[in-house]
Amino acid sequence: MKTPELYTLLLSGAAKRVEDYSVNNLQYTDCVSSLFCWKEVIIILKFIDFFAGAGGFSVALKQAGFELAGFCEIDKFAVRSYMAIHDLQEGDIWYEKDIRTVKPENVPHADIYTAGFPCQDVSVCGAKIGLSGARSGLYYEFIRIIKGKKEKDLK
């Protein structure tokens, strides 16, 4: 990612050396000239989308500059839509079908975990049985995964 200011420096010849590189989720840009030296740090936050559906959370977060690290969705039609909408191929990112079988240690690092868990059991229009329902109770699976992550993975 180069800023307009960096392009101006390059075009004017003021920049003698420009290097772009990434370490973890930080992207660095160095620009060195005989007159000055500066470093721009761009933090790229990653997210994982649980109960992903067709990817509403993902669309918004990607537009805000976040990077998709993976998703979890059981509905095969939603998965097909998600893959098409986000231009993904199998194996591009982490994917699990059923949240009930996800092991926390297998979930890659992310800065944000989204969860649009099923709400039929808590909806005014639904069964109104709360989080003890079969669908809405999957919320506790999401909590299990978060609790199972090591603290270093959550920073």
Side-chain angles (χ1 to χ4, degrees):
M1 298 177 100
K2 291 185 174 56
T3 63
E5 296 80 17
L6 182 57
Y7 279 118
T8 302
L9 289 170
L10 290 170
L11 292 173
S12 69
K16 304 291 185 211
R17 178 174 59 92
V18 175
E19 297 178 49
D20 288 333
Y21 54 93
S22 290
V23 177
N24 295 330
N25 65 336
L26 299 179
Q27 183 179 24
Y28 298 92
T29 302
D30 282 351
C31 181
V32 180
S33 80
S34 57
L35 301 175
F36 60 89
C37 179
W38 55 268
K39 182 178 281 189
E40 175 184 273
V41 178
I42 301 166
I43 299 173
I44 301 170
L45 298 175
K46 295 183 179 187
F47 69 96
I48 296 180
D49 200 1
F50 289 90
F51 309 104
F57 282 134
S58 294
V59 169
L61 287 170
K62 286 171 77 176
Q63 286 179 352
F66 293 78
E67 182 180 309
L68 177 62
F71 73 102
C72 180
E73 174 56 53
I74 198 166
D75 182 272
K76 66 181 179 181
F77 299 110
V79 171
R80 286 185 197 160
S81 296
Y82 196 100
M83 300 287 278
I85 290 167
H86 299 290
D87 195 27
L88 297 171
Q89 300 297 317
E90 191 173 324
D92 283 352
I93 58 172
W94 176 83
Y95 165 73
E96 284 292 332
K97 178 180 178 178
D98 190 345
I99 195 166
R100 295 171 294 189
T101 61
V102 172
K103 292 182 172 69
E105 61 272 14
N106 294 339
V107 176
H109 167 77
D111 300 291
I112 298 174
Y113 296 88
T114 64
F117 70 95
C119 63
Q120 292 89 337
D121 298 328
V122 295
S123 172
V124 173
C125 297
K128 301 179 197 171
I129 56 177
L131 292 177
S132 60
R135 289 179 172 181
S136 295
L138 292 172
Y139 164 80
Y140 294 112
E141 292 294 327
F142 176 68
I143 298 301
R144 174 187 61 82
I145 292 166
I146 299 302
K147 284 184 174 180
K149 296 297 289 174
K150 303 251 187 278
E151 187 175 338
K152 68 178 178 70
D153 292 334
L154 298 174
K155 286 187 174 181

